[in-house]
Amino acid sequence: PTRTPRRSGVRRADAMTVTSARTLVLALNPAIQKTLELSSALVHGEVHRASAVDVRVGGKGQGAAAAIRRVDVAARAAVVQFVGEQGHEGAFVVDGMEKDGVECINGWFPGATRTCTTVVSSEGGGRVSTELVEPTATIPAPVCDKLLADALAAVPSSGAVIIAGSAPPGAEAFYARFSQGLRQAAPGPAAEWPLVVVDCPKGVDELLACGRADVMKIAVHELQSITGKSALEDGARALLFADPGSGRERAAIGGEREAAMGEARTPGASLGVLAVTAGAGAAHLFVRTSDAEALHWELAVPRVDCVNAIGAGDVCTGVFASKLQAAAYAPGSGERGRPDAVCDAFAWGLAAASARCTRLRPDQMELADVFRLRTRVGARAVAGLRRDAAPDAGQVAEAGSPAADAAGEEEAAGEGVAAAGADDGAPASAEAAKDAGEAGSG
C-alpha cells in the first residue's frame, strides 16, 4: 500500500545523544537494495529460486553513513537524499536510515525511489555478486533547489562532508553547486572549514574545479577515466600537482585558486589526499605535503572469505572520512595535517571494507572483525611523488601490484571486492572488481 511520506525535513533518530560534530553525507541517489541468495550458479536464461531474500536501504552514500555508525556508535552521521513520494520505497529508505541512527535531510520528489537487486550465487567454490540497477526518476528543479539550500544550512554543524555516488537526472549540477556554495559561504580560516571527501567519479571535474575538495577516494579505473592517465602515479600527479591550464587538466584540478576568507589553503590544487583502490589488489595513498611533493604508501590487507562484496567500497569511504574527522585532519594545517593520521584512517577504512565482505548483509558486519583485520593491514612507504618527476616506467607502481615487502602476505579487497575464496588462491577478476565497486552504490 502507498504510504504518505512524512515531510519534517531534518529528522533526528532518538538514539543519537552524542554532541560530537557529525559527518554530512551527500547521498542523492538512494535505493531499495534487494539481495537474493542462490545455492547454485547463476545461469543466463534459466529460472532460479532464491534460498534467502533480504531487503534493506541501498545507495553509495547511505552505505557510507550507516558504516560510520556501525563502527563507532558515538559518531554522528546525516544523509542528504532525494526520496520518492510514489509507493512505499521512499518512506522505507528514511525509516531504515533512522533505525541505523542516521539523520535524514530529505528532498521528496513526485516519483518512486529505485530498487537495485543483488544476486549472490555460488561459483567455483566461492560467491559471486551480480547487480541489477533500476533507473532513477528525473528530479524537478524546485526540489533540487530546496534540498541544496537545506544541505548548505547543515554544513556549519558538520565536521566533515562526504560527496558520494552519482546524482540523479535533473540534479546533475547539484554537487558543483553545493561546492560553490561552500566556497561562497566559507565561515572563516580554511582550517575551520569542514573536511570535504569525494567519492563520486561522475561529474568530478566540475566538483574539483570549485576548489573545495580535500580528499578523494576512488578506484584505479576511475582515476584513469578522470585524468586520462594509464599509470597510477601519472594520474595522481595530474590531480595533485597539475598547473592550471585548459581542457581536462584544468577541469580536473580546478584552475587558479584564490585566498578565501582570511586564510587560503595551500596554493595550487585544493586536493590534498588521494586514496586509490584496485579491487582485489593493493590500495595506494598519496598525501600532498607541498606544492611539489606528496608522500606515497601502498597498503595491502589480508585475504578474506568473500560472501557479498557489494557496498564494501562505501564502507571504506565512510570509515575513512570518519576517522579523518576524529583525528582532526585538515590539509596543510601543521600538526593537524600529519600524514600518518591519514594513512591510519585509510587502513581502518580498508579493514572495515574487508569485514563487510565476509557477511551477506551490511548490518551483520562485526566490529571485532574490523579490529582484527586492522591489525593485519600492511602499509609500505614507497618513493614519494614529485610534481616535476618525469614518468619512469621502471618506477611507476601499477595499482593492484603486490607490495614488495609483503610478498608473503595475502591480498584482499580494497574497493568492495575480496577474493572469491580463501582456498582457491585466485583474486577476483579486474572486471569483477570494477563492477562491484560501482554496482548498487551509484
Side-chain angles (χ1 to χ4, degrees):
T2 301
R3 174 179 172 181
T4 302
R6 289 168 286 179
R7 297 172 175 271
S8 54
V10 180
R11 299 167 59 194
R12 194 180 302 268
D14 294 337
M16 293 179 31
T17 58
V18 295
T19 58
S20 60
R22 67 181 171 188
T23 300
L24 184 68
V25 185
L26 270 62
L28 303 184
N29 218 1
I32 301 296
Q33 185 69 52
K34 177 182 290 187
T35 302
L36 305 177
E37 189 172 10
L38 305 182
S39 57
S40 60
L42 182 65
V43 182
H44 181 70
E46 296 293 329
V47 175
H48 298 82
R49 299 187 185 279
S51 59
V53 179
D54 179 69
V55 181
R56 62 187 55 253
V57 178
K60 194 173 187 67
Q62 285 71 20
I68 292 172
R69 292 279 299 162
R70 292 189 183 109
V71 171
D72 183 0
V73 294
R76 296 178 59 202
V79 291
V80 176
Q81 59 189 1
F82 291 110
V83 283
E85 295 176 330
Q86 181 180 331
H88 71 282
E89 291 87 356
F92 181 91
V93 166
V94 174
D95 290 343
M97 295 308 299
E98 290 187 337
K99 287 179 181 177
D100 280 334
V102 177
E103 303 172 48
C104 294
I105 302 175
N106 304 311
W108 293 96
F109 65 91
T113 297
R114 63 181 181 156
T115 296
C116 299
T117 302
T118 301
V119 180
V120 181
S121 55
S122 299
E123 308 276 352
R127 304 291 189 94
V128 175
S129 298
T130 302
E131 190 76 2
L132 306 175
V133 181
E134 289 185 1
T136 305
T138 300
I139 309 299
V143 177
C144 287
D145 295 342
K146 176 62 167 60
L147 188 61
L148 177 64
D150 290 345
L152 288 171
V155 169
S157 59
S158 303
V161 176
I162 299 175
I163 300 177
S166 62
E172 293 89 349
F174 190 99
Y175 292 146
R177 292 175 63 195
F178 177 83
S179 186
Q180 291 167 354
L182 283 183
R183 190 172 179 83
Q184 294 168 0
E192 297 178 5
W193 298 1
L195 184 72
V196 179
V197 180
V198 177
D199 184 6
C200 57
K202 297 181 180 178
V204 73
D205 285 358
E206 293 79 7
L207 179 62
L208 293 180
C210 297
R212 282 298 293 117
D214 303 310
V215 179
M216 178 178 287
K217 196 231 74 175
I218 52 175
V220 64
H221 67 273
E222 295 167 344
L223 176 65
Q224 293 168 346
S225 176
I226 291 169
T227 64
K229 309 291 185 181
S230 58
L232 170 69
E233 292 190 356
D234 289 343
R237 188 175 290 110
L239 284 179
L240 294 170
F241 301 130
D243 289 322
S246 59
R248 179 185 295 271
E249 284 192 345
R250 181 177 179 85
I253 68 168
E256 296 180 358
R257 305 295 183 216
E258 301 174 348
M261 300 299 290
E263 178 182 339
R265 291 192 182 276
T266 302
S270 70
L271 193 65
V273 175
L274 178 65
V276 184
T277 56
H284 290 260
L285 177 68
F286 300 88
V287 179
R288 187 162 60 88
T289 55
S290 71
D291 285 350
E293 294 181 329
L295 300 177
H296 179 192
W297 287 270
E298 183 179 70
L299 295 92
V301 297
R303 181 184 295 274
V304 297
D305 290 316
C306 181
V307 176
N308 182 11
I310 298 300
D314 311 331
V315 170
C316 180
T317 298
V319 174
F320 181 29
S322 181
K323 290 294 184 180
L324 282 176
Q325 181 185 343
Y329 172 74
S333 55
E335 288 299 315
R336 294 179 62 203
R338 65 187 192 279
D340 62 305
V342 185
C343 189
D344 181 64
F346 190 34
W348 276 109
L350 294 172
S354 293
R356 189 273 171 267
C357 288
T358 65
R359 308 288 173 171
L360 179 63
R361 305 196 313 264
D363 64 323
Q364 295 175 323
M365 184 176 70
E366 295 287 343
L367 188 57
D369 289 340
V370 178
F371 278 86
R372 176 177 55 83
L373 290 169
R374 173 62 186 90
T375 65
R376 297 166 61 188
V377 174
R380 178 179 72 97
V382 295
L385 192 70
R386 291 190 58 84
R387 174 180 184 150
D388 57 357
D392 183 343
Q395 295 181 357
V396 172
E398 294 296 333
S401 63
D405 65 347
E409 297 184 11
E410 296 167 317
E411 296 175 345
E415 176 66 10
V417 179
D423 295 330
D424 61 9
S429 67
E431 189 63 27
K434 178 178 181 293
D435 292 343
E438 297 175 342
S441 58

